[in-house]
Amino acid sequence: MILRLALSLLLVVPSVLSQAGSAYTDPDNGISFWGYTDPVHQVTYGYVFPPLAASGSAQSNEFIGEIVAPIATKWAGVSPGGSMLQNLLLVVWPNGNSIVRSARYSTDYVQPTAMTGPVLTDLPSTTVNSTHWKWVYRCVNSWPIAGGTKSIPVDGFGVPAWVYSSVGVDNPTDPQSTFLEHTDFGFFGLDYSAAHVSQELYDKWKTGGTGGPSPTTTTTTTTTTTQPPVTATPYDYIVVGSGPGGLVAADRLSETGKKVLLLERGPPSTWETGGRYGPTWTEGHNLTKFDVPGLFESMFNDGNVFWWCKDINVFAGCLTGGGTSINGASVLYFLPPYSDFAPTTGWPTSWGNHAPYTAKMVARLPSTDAPSTDGKRYLEQTFDVASTLLKGQGYQQVTINDNPDWKDHAFGYSAYNFVKGKRTGPVATYLRTSMARKNFTFKNYVYVLNVVRTGAQITGVKTNDTSLGPGGIIPLTPNGRVVLSAGSFGSPRILFRSGIGPTDMLNLVKNDATASPNLPPQAQWINLPVGYNVSDNPSINLVFTHPSYLKSGAGVFSQGSPRLNFWRAYSGSDGKTRWLQGTVRPGAASVTTSFPYNVSNIFTITAYLSTGITSRGRIGIDAAMTARALVGPWFTDPIDKAVLIQGLNDIVSNIKSVPGLTLITPDNTTTISDYGTVAGKAVVDENTKVFNTNNLFVIDASIIPQMPMSNPHAAIMSAAEQGVARILALSGGP
């Protein structure tokens, strides 16, 4: 899981956001704003706009805004357009009794720089006192700006983003000061079309005037036609989430002829699923961005990244296919070794024989390490250079998926599950066969809030879509079952909102005005360690240059960016074995170096710790119902860090033996060492059923007790094959 934070634009149904902005009046200046107060940090973000232009005319490109924050807020910022990339970014912090602010811009997830064009004017009610600071401002020439800056949707619905930091900027007196990445961020839905006032009132406020009428809601008399009440369709199985676990589960459940409903909160992805978003050169070829393997890196620098979840504060995919449709780790396809399901890694003994279930997966998803339709491999200079480096350390070249258990001093060509040069995965296999069945229903844009529960019995799910049932509730048949496959962050949040989990999380739900009414009575709460015992790969990028690298050729986009993968086992000082995985790919996500270099000559080796790591974290929610890592799972055990640093040093130990190879990140100013820097264990039983429930199951990455040996795509699907077989074997079902 990548835990770099993102700001991005929501292009789906607004009601999937529990955080919604509304009208309010600032008591100090009488200005009517439309905005939101984050319940976690108590920071308020507000906007107001001049009147909407007549139809067909250009809208005004200015607005008045404010940020009101407790003094503990070291700096804050907003993106009214909802994305960090190619959008207006406003950053502000207090300096003594003054406010320091700037307009910034970025085309990548790096430090935003000064933006030319916007003119910021501080309005008189801007202030700093002993408890709070407030910035009230007018922003003119906000859009469009050369370079592709996105406009604010002033005549429609938008999802503005905010950022917060508890760490001060580097130079508080300098409006262009650098700073560390924000410590938190979020989004809220806002009806921009309502956030407008008369020109007279706006002109008064923009010149420093105060007061005026409070925000009002226009009441329109209409003639309505009584509609028949919504009738809900009951299902034998409701599967929540269309990631790898959910797609496998839904397909196998629908094979039985039972009535199955699969719900996905996000939009379509590939062309086959109804997606249409892609670069212009794919037009006429029935391809989207999610079909083309070579476009993975662009998932992180596109100005319209609608595929990321907006209420999870890490990168998580909310679209058909989940992470398998976007994540570079999901284009890699490594069959699980025995250790991925061994009792020593936390699995029940009965799960140890994964081979039949992995074989079922491979029958649907064969692997290849030469995915181009012409049989050629492209941009393999990185393979040639890295293999020379590794052979000097005693590594042997293998065909990776021919022997999944050989994971020590082994390397080979990266393996994928692409077909005919396109990303395949569970979307083009498991979902495709499901969609052909009349007993299977799939719906996008349906956000599941909680399961409907009376004691141990689940009777349905509550969603944001009231067309599917009264109050958005979709019922189960009398013996029906719910399978949660919403991912490592999504499934725990649904459990919390259903009264299942640690008491501190359930009390947050109880205190939320929107979620509380759907929470079972406290006497029916189920205290389970949901969100505990979380592990994740710590990873470090080493960036190199080599003069032989990078020549172009046909078929480049038929491959993902990885070209070579390698593994090595290490024994830690605690006597436990930890495995290091390396991925070699052309280019670099970022370069920090004092050395001169040719950008066309660089490549990256990313080193991960996987199976055997002992550090653990915790996943939970905050007062805004945002899913987040409450305790980071990286290096809580210092031995994990020591092993990773040893692995990094080993990778570069014989660099001088490869002519022309130079390590540029880290450079000679940073050492490898400097650079690299539970309550219970079970929520589900060995049949994936949530303890103390009769008919609630979880099949996704959140049930995997230990990091798999390699990228988890295949391990999750193999686990899903076994998990769904166990569900079907249980008595008492539909």
Side-chain angles (χ1 to χ4, degrees):
M1 182 182 303
I2 304 174
L3 291 179
R4 183 178 60 182
L5 306 182
L7 299 178
S8 48
L9 177 64
L10 184 68
L11 292 183
V12 298
V13 179
S15 56
V16 303
L17 282 174
S18 58
Q19 302 87 7
S22 59
Y24 71 93
T25 299
D26 186 314
D28 296 331
N29 53 36
I31 298 177
S32 300
F33 290 102
W34 280 257
Y36 172 75
T37 299
D38 167 50
V40 178
H41 306 295
Q42 296 298 312
V43 181
T44 297
Y45 309 89
Y47 303 92
V48 63
F49 296 84
L52 284 168
S55 177
S57 301
Q59 301 291 349
S60 172
N61 67 348
E62 72 164 83
F63 64 94
I64 295 171
E66 75 169 5
I67 299 177
V68 185
I71 203 69
T73 306
K74 299 304 182 182
W75 65 269
V78 293
S79 171
S83 174
M84 178 176 173
L85 305 184
Q86 302 172 27
N87 271 266
L88 169 69
L89 307 175
L90 300 178
V91 183
V92 59
W93 57 85
N95 179 39
N97 294 323
S98 301
I99 287 293
V100 180
R101 77 294 191 275
S102 60
R104 303 200 183 199
Y105 182 78
S106 181
T107 58
D108 205 345
Y109 291 104
V110 295
Q111 185 86 204
T113 55
M115 183 178 184
T116 58
V119 177
L120 298 175
T121 302
D122 298 344
L123 298 181
S125 51
T126 295
T127 185
V128 180
N129 60 36
S130 61
T131 62
H132 287 74
W133 54 264
K134 176 190 289 189
W135 180 39
V136 186
Y137 60 93
R138 178 189 179 196
C139 184
V140 180
N141 295 333
S142 306
W143 69 88
I145 305 296
T149 307
K150 308 297 182 183
S151 297
I152 302 171
V154 296
D155 55 353
F157 188 91
V159 185
W162 56 265
V163 295
Y164 167 94
S165 183
S166 58
V167 180
V169 302
D170 297 326
N171 182 2
T173 64
D174 181 6
Q176 299 304 325
S177 174
T178 55
F179 42 77
L180 295 176
E181 184 180 52
H182 44 79
T183 54
D184 203 0
F185 81 105
F187 304 85
F188 60 94
L190 188 62
D191 184 2
Y192 277 122
S193 67
H196 297 264
V197 295
S198 69
Q199 191 66 54
E200 178 184 7
L201 193 54
Y202 186 85
D203 289 344
K204 176 182 179 181
W205 291 340
K206 77 180 185 182
T207 55
T210 60
S214 299
T216 59
T217 302
T218 302
T219 302
T220 304
T221 302
T222 58
T223 301
T224 60
T225 302
T226 302
Q227 298 293 329
V230 175
T231 301
T233 300
Y235 290 88
D236 296 317
Y237 291 98
I238 299 175
V239 181
V240 181
S242 70
L247 291 178
V248 172
D251 184 53
R252 296 305 187 188
L253 293 171
S254 63
E255 276 183 339
T256 66
K258 301 299 182 181
K259 199 167 189 175
V260 177
L261 173 65
L262 176 61
L263 300 174
E264 168 55 51
R265 60 176 290 185
S269 54
T270 62
W271 188 276
E272 181 180 8
T273 65
R276 293 297 181 266
Y277 186 75
T280 55
W281 56 264
T282 63
E283 293 177 1
H285 297 281
N286 293 356
L287 296 172
T288 72
K289 186 185 192 78
F290 311 102
D291 286 297
V292 183
L295 291 178
F296 158 67
E297 300 288 349
S298 71
M299 300 292 182
F300 299 94
N301 56 26
D302 192 305
N304 183 19
V305 283
F306 58 85
W307 42 89
W308 302 119
C309 305
K310 306 305 178 294
D311 51 4
I312 297 174
N313 80 335
V314 300
F315 276 140
C318 280
L319 76 172
T320 301
T324 67
S325 291
I326 52 178
N327 196 344
S330 297
V331 304
L332 291 170
Y333 183 54
F334 302 122
L335 303 186
Y338 166 77
S339 62
D340 275 2
F341 293 94
T344 53
T345 57
W347 286 98
T349 303
S350 61
W351 278 71
N353 183 19
H354 73 88
Y357 307 101
T358 298
K360 292 176 70 174
M361 174 189 71
V362 173
R364 303 293 299 274
L365 281 168
S367 73
T368 178
D369 59 12
S372 182
T373 54
D374 60 9
K376 299 178 181 179
R377 298 186 178 99
Y378 292 92
L379 300 183
E380 290 303 320
Q381 292 87 346
T382 51
F383 183 95
D384 297 337
V385 174
S387 62
T388 301
L389 186 71
L390 294 171
K391 287 177 180 177
Q393 299 170 27
Y395 283 75
Q396 296 185 54
Q397 183 173 349
V398 300
T399 301
I400 293 171
N401 281 337
D402 283 357
N403 190 346
D405 290 308
W406 188 350
K407 288 295 188 296
D408 188 16
H409 285 84
F411 76 91
Y413 288 105
S414 299
Y416 311 97
N417 57 2
F418 302 155
V419 175
K420 296 182 179 179
K422 296 196 300 183
R423 186 192 292 258
T424 306
V427 170
T429 51
Y430 289 95
L431 180 59
R432 180 181 294 169
T433 51
S434 299
M435 293 292 288
R437 300 184 184 112
K438 293 181 179 180
N439 59 309
F440 176 80
T441 302
F442 178 48
K443 290 189 176 295
N444 288 102
Y445 305 116
V446 179
Y447 184 86
V448 173
L449 301 167
N450 55 272
V451 299
V452 181
R453 180 170 69 85
T454 301
Q457 189 68 21
I458 313 303
T459 58
V461 298
K462 183 172 177 61
T463 75
N464 66 317
D465 191 340
T466 56
S467 72
L468 300 177
I473 293 176
I474 307 171
L476 289 170
T477 56
N479 294 317
R481 292 166 170 170
V482 172
V483 179
L484 299 182
S485 300
S488 297
F489 287 83
S491 290
R493 178 170 49 196
I494 293 172
L495 291 172
F496 298 147
R497 296 184 62 146
S498 305
I500 302 171
T503 302
D504 58 346
M505 296 293 98
L506 304 194
N507 279 326
L508 288 174
V509 179
K510 180 181 177 181
N511 294 331
D512 183 87
T514 302
S516 180
N518 302 311
L519 191 66
Q522 192 159 347
Q524 295 185 18
W525 288 6
I526 300 175
N527 189 352
L528 291 174
V530 178
Y532 282 93
N533 202 39
V534 174
S535 61
D536 188 26
N537 298 105
S539 62
I540 295 293
N541 289 331
L542 303 175
V543 182
F544 301 81
T545 65
H546 192 274
S548 71
Y549 175 63
L550 207 59
K551 299 176 183 177
S552 62
V556 169
F557 285 103
S558 65
Q559 293 182 231
S561 56
R563 293 298 187 272
L564 177 150
N565 287 93
F566 61 91
W567 290 263
R568 181 171 177 176
Y570 285 92
S571 179
S573 60
D574 56 1
K576 297 178 180 179
T577 301
R578 294 163 174 83
W579 275 262
L580 180 141
Q581 175 189 334
T583 297
V584 182
R585 67 183 190 275
S590 63
V591 179
T592 303
T593 186
S594 61
F595 294 147
Y597 66 93
N598 184 335
V599 70
S600 66
N601 290 347
I602 62 176
F603 71 94
T604 300
I605 297 179
T606 302
Y608 312 80
L609 280 190
S610 58
T611 298
I613 59 175
T614 49
S615 296
R616 293 292 184 271
R618 182 187 178 193
I619 285 171
I621 55 175
D622 60 25
M625 300 292 104
T626 297
R628 59 175 60 248
L630 302 179
V631 178
W634 312 279
F635 301 139
T636 57
D637 184 342
I639 299 176
D640 286 342
K641 181 176 181 179
V643 171
L644 180 57
I645 290 173
Q646 180 185 350
L648 296 173
N649 280 315
D650 286 345
I651 290 172
V652 301
S653 61
N654 62 325
I655 190 172
K656 293 182 180 179
S657 69
V658 183
L661 184 60
T662 303
L663 176 67
I664 61 172
T665 301
D667 58 17
N668 61 349
T669 66
T670 308
T671 67
I672 288 285
S673 296
D674 290 337
Y675 185 59
T677 351
V678 161
K681 294 184 178 179
V683 174
V684 300
D685 65 16
E686 63 181 342
N687 296 312
T688 74
K689 183 167 69 70
V690 176
F691 285 114
N692 301 320
T693 71
N694 298 331
N695 56 337
L696 179 60
F697 302 82
V698 180
I699 294 181
D700 59 23
S702 64
I703 68 169
I704 296 180
Q706 169 73 278
M707 286 303 304
M709 179 69 71
S710 309
N711 303 82
H713 183 189
I716 294 170
M717 290 192 293
S718 177
E721 285 278 15
Q722 185 164 179
V724 73
R726 290 172 175 272
I727 293 173
L728 289 170
L730 288 177
S731 62

